[in-house]
Amino acid sequence: MPQRHVEPAPVDSTAVFKNDIFKGKVLFCTGGGSGICKAMTEAVMRHGAHAAIVGRKLDRLQASAEELAAATGNQCLPVQADVRNPKLLQEAVAKTVEKFGRIDFVICGAAGNFLAPISKLSENGFRTVIEIDTLGTYNTIKATLPHLRASKGSYIHVSATLHYRGTPYQVHVSAAKAAVDATSAVLAVEEGPHGVRSNVIAPGPIAGTEGMDRLSAKGPAAQDYASFVPLGRDGDVRDIANVTVFLFSDAARFITGQIFPVDGGCEHLRTLPLPYPESVVDPEAVTKMIKPRL
C-alpha cells in the first residue's frame, strides 16, 4: 500500500527571511510569556526587533524575557498587566514606549480556554473567556493604536478555527474568537487609511502547548490528531512563528483584514476532541477525558 506523505518539520524563519528585516522595530505582545505567543515573539526578535511581553504572572514573564534575550541577542521587557484592565494595559504600553521609544508590531495573544458543554458552563466561565479574549483584544488595540498610527504598524490577533463550525464544549471560546475575527476586519478597514494593518492567525492543534494539553482528550479513547491532518503531522509553534514573520514583513504590506488558518488542512476534515454524540448526550461519561480547568 502506498505510504502517505508526512510534511517535514518546519524550518526556522531565519532560513527564509533576512536576519535584520525588523531591525529598529519594537513588538508588543500580550500572552508572550509562554506557548505560541512566546514562539511568535522569539521569531520576530530573531530578525532584529526588541519586544515587550505582557501577562499576569511576573515570574514567568521575567524568566521568558531572559530566555528570549539570550536566544536572540535583542532586548525583551517583561511587563505585568491583565488585559482585562485598560489602565494596566495603558501603563504597560507607556513602559514599552519609555524603554524602546516606539511600537511597530502588536500581537494580541492573551487567551483562556477549557472544555465544558453549555449545560455545565457557568456564566462566570463564559464571561471570563470573553473578557480575556475579546475585551482583552479591544483593550490592547485601544492602548496601542496611537503608536501604531505613528509607526504605520501592524496587528496580529491570535484566534482559532473552532467557530468555523459548531464545536461541542467550546461555546465560550468560539464566541470570543468570532468576535476577535470581526474586530480585526473592522480595524483593518478603519485604520488602513492611517497606514495600519490588521490580520488574524488561527492556529489548529499545536503540539506541546498548554492549550493543546487542556483541550485534547485523554485516555485510550482519545484520537491521534496527526492522523487527521492532511499534511500528516502535528502543528509546531514554528509554523505559527513563520506566518507571523511574513505578516509583519514588508512582503505582506498589501495584506490586511485577512484570516490565516495554520492547521495543515485539518479544518477540512474536522475532528472533535471528544466522542460525538456521546459527549453531549451524557457529559458525565467523558469527564475522565477532560483535564480540569487550570
Side-chain angles (χ1 to χ4, degrees):
M1 180 178 178
Q3 296 297 308
R4 70 168 294 175
H5 169 78
V6 176
E7 188 66 16
V11 299
D12 291 327
S13 61
T14 49
V16 179
F17 296 90
K18 292 181 179 179
N19 291 344
D20 63 351
I21 57 174
F22 299 143
K23 185 176 181 180
K25 304 293 187 180
V26 176
L27 167 68
F28 183 90
C29 178
T30 63
S34 63
I36 289 173
C37 291
K38 182 181 177 183
M40 295 167 76
T41 299
E42 180 175 345
V44 175
M45 291 178 66
R46 284 188 182 278
H47 292 277
H50 299 309
I53 54 174
V54 181
R56 288 179 291 171
K57 298 180 180 179
L58 184 58
D59 55 344
R60 172 187 280 186
L61 291 171
Q62 290 172 332
S64 294
E66 291 176 2
E67 293 173 6
L68 290 168
T72 65
N74 290 302
Q75 298 179 59
C76 186
L77 176 69
V79 187
Q80 185 177 26
D82 188 328
V83 296
R84 294 172 289 185
N85 187 318
K87 184 176 184 295
L88 293 179
L89 260 181
Q90 291 162 8
E91 292 174 355
V93 168
K95 290 176 182 177
T96 302
V97 174
E98 180 182 6
K99 173 72 173 178
F100 298 121
R102 59 189 292 144
I103 298 175
D104 301 272
F105 308 132
V106 173
I107 296 173
C108 298
N113 198 3
F114 50 92
L115 291 169
I118 295 174
S119 60
K120 302 291 184 179
L121 178 64
S122 70
E123 291 83 355
N124 185 63
F126 186 89
R127 182 187 304 110
T128 296
V129 172
I130 294 291
E131 288 177 346
I132 295 172
D133 290 53
T134 305
L135 288 177
T137 294
Y138 174 79
N139 291 339
T140 302
I141 292 168
K142 290 287 286 185
T144 56
L145 187 55
H147 302 285
L148 263 68
R149 281 188 175 186
S151 64
K152 309 303 180 189
S154 180
Y155 288 91
I156 290 177
H157 312 276
V158 181
S159 186
T161 61
L162 301 165
H163 54 286
Y164 298 168
R165 306 178 192 179
T167 303
Y169 285 55
Q170 291 286 268
V171 67
H172 42 311
V173 76
S174 294
K177 293 304 191 184
V180 167
D181 290 1
T183 299
S184 177
V186 175
L187 183 63
V189 171
E190 289 190 354
E191 293 301 320
H194 296 285
V196 176
R197 295 186 299 118
S198 177
N199 290 292
V200 170
I201 295 178
I206 304 298
T209 62
E210 187 174 287
M212 189 62 175
D213 186 41
R214 294 189 193 192
L215 302 179
S216 58
K218 311 298 187 294
Q223 298 178 353
D224 176 17
Y225 276 96
S227 66
F228 291 95
V229 179
L231 289 181
R233 65 166 171 83
D234 290 324
D236 186 283
V237 292
R238 288 175 294 173
D239 293 311
I240 312 302
N242 290 340
V243 179
T244 302
V245 172
F246 167 68
L247 287 176
F248 281 152
S249 76
D250 286 343
R253 288 301 307 176
F254 204 57
I255 298 174
T256 193
Q258 302 304 309
I259 299 171
F260 293 82
V262 184
D263 66 354
C266 69
E267 172 56 30
H268 299 293
L269 291 171
R270 169 62 72 91
T271 59
L272 301 174
L274 297 169
Y276 184 86
E278 295 86 350
S279 59
V280 294
V281 173
D282 182 15
E284 298 300 325
V286 298
T287 53
K288 291 183 179 180
M289 299 179 69
I290 301 174
K291 183 171 183 176
R293 181 178 176 185
L294 299 182

